[in-house]
Amino acid sequence: MFVTSGAPALAKTIVPVDITYVDHVDEDENAKACEIGLAARDPKTTEGIGFTAFAAYDRPGRTFLFGFLLGVGNLRPGRKYERAVITSAAFASRSQQFDSRKTLDQQPNADGTILVATVEPTAALQFLNAFLAGGFEISFARSNRKNARRTYSIQPAPSAQVRENFFGCLEKLMPAETTASVQTSTGKIEVTDIERPGLKPGGDIPPLH
């Protein structure tokens, strides 16, 4: 069951390093997900985050889910990653006037990660456009730190190639007998409604290296 988060505590803002984006398609006989993974690291500690934005289709139920999965951890000696348990997660973009705490629901997972998602098309479209534009914040609270919120400020957007791969996956996400639109239980998202930031003449965002 999804639960909504309460009012956020005062957050510490982090400007991370080693920001990378990777597109991925996760598929089996029952479901398919178009994903963009984001990794970033706190330059002053061993902490790092793994954020995955996704659009997923459940074939048996013919339903869609949109949102993100957030995991947090620390790099230990021997380069072993130790996952932390987080109690809340949020995504916000001031420029796009989007805050996941107002429109998406969240569900804690047994492995310490949190799933934040929606089946509502308007909220899904707003989230995807805010994420693909870059210039957003990812915040969370760790269970072992008295719920003090930490915020990672992410400025770069996914590269043009990563975005195009993601759009290509979205266009194939629907069953063959349907159009290239996303039909959810509460409405429809047209793939063409998702903005492609940086792909207009003179406005391209250079890819990350």
Side-chain angles (χ1 to χ4, degrees):
M1 177 181 295
F2 286 110
V3 295
T4 56
S5 59
L10 185 63
K12 176 183 178 181
T13 300
I14 298 157
V15 179
V17 295
D18 299 336
I19 299 172
T20 58
Y21 288 97
V22 178
D23 61 275
H24 180 67
V25 179
D26 191 5
E27 183 173 14
D28 60 26
E29 61 182 8
N30 293 318
K32 179 177 180 179
C34 304
E35 303 172 347
I36 297 180
L38 161 66
R41 181 175 62 83
D42 180 353
K44 297 183 179 179
T45 71
T46 61
E47 182 182 81
I49 64 170
F51 178 99
T52 302
F54 67 85
Y57 177 62
D58 175 67
R59 292 189 175 103
R62 296 180 63 82
T63 56
F64 283 85
L65 189 67
F66 304 85
F68 65 88
L69 180 72
L70 178 63
V72 178
N74 291 86
L75 194 62
R76 298 305 185 193
R79 302 197 66 78
K80 293 183 178 180
Y81 183 77
E82 181 179 273
R83 176 162 287 165
V85 175
I86 56 176
T87 57
S88 64
F91 170 98
S93 169
R94 291 189 178 92
S95 64
Q96 301 292 315
Q97 298 182 329
F98 178 84
D99 189 333
S100 67
R101 289 168 293 198
K102 298 178 180 178
T103 56
L104 309 185
D105 300 315
Q106 66 176 262
Q107 172 182 294
N109 297 318
D111 63 358
T113 62
I114 287 186
L115 175 70
V116 182
T118 186
V119 297
E120 204 281 318
T122 300
L125 187 62
Q126 290 172 342
F127 165 68
L128 289 176
N129 282 331
F131 173 72
L132 293 169
F136 52 80
E137 294 182 341
I138 298 168
S139 61
F140 57 90
R142 295 178 60 147
S143 63
N144 61 345
R145 297 187 181 179
K146 299 181 180 179
N147 274 355
R149 294 192 70 80
R150 294 170 64 77
T151 297
Y152 279 59
S153 177
I154 308 292
Q155 294 307 311
S159 71
Q161 186 61 61
V162 166
R163 293 196 302 270
E164 281 303 286
N165 291 345
F166 181 71
F167 291 131
C169 179
L170 284 180
E171 289 165 354
K172 299 176 182 178
L173 191 61
M174 291 298 293
E177 67 272 15
T178 66
T179 61
S181 62
V182 175
Q183 185 71 46
T184 75
S185 60
T186 56
K188 184 173 71 173
I189 295 177
E190 296 287 348
V191 173
T192 53
D193 288 339
I194 301 174
E195 297 175 6
R196 303 194 176 197
L199 297 181
K200 297 178 181 179
D204 196 17
I205 299 174
L208 299 175
H209 297 288

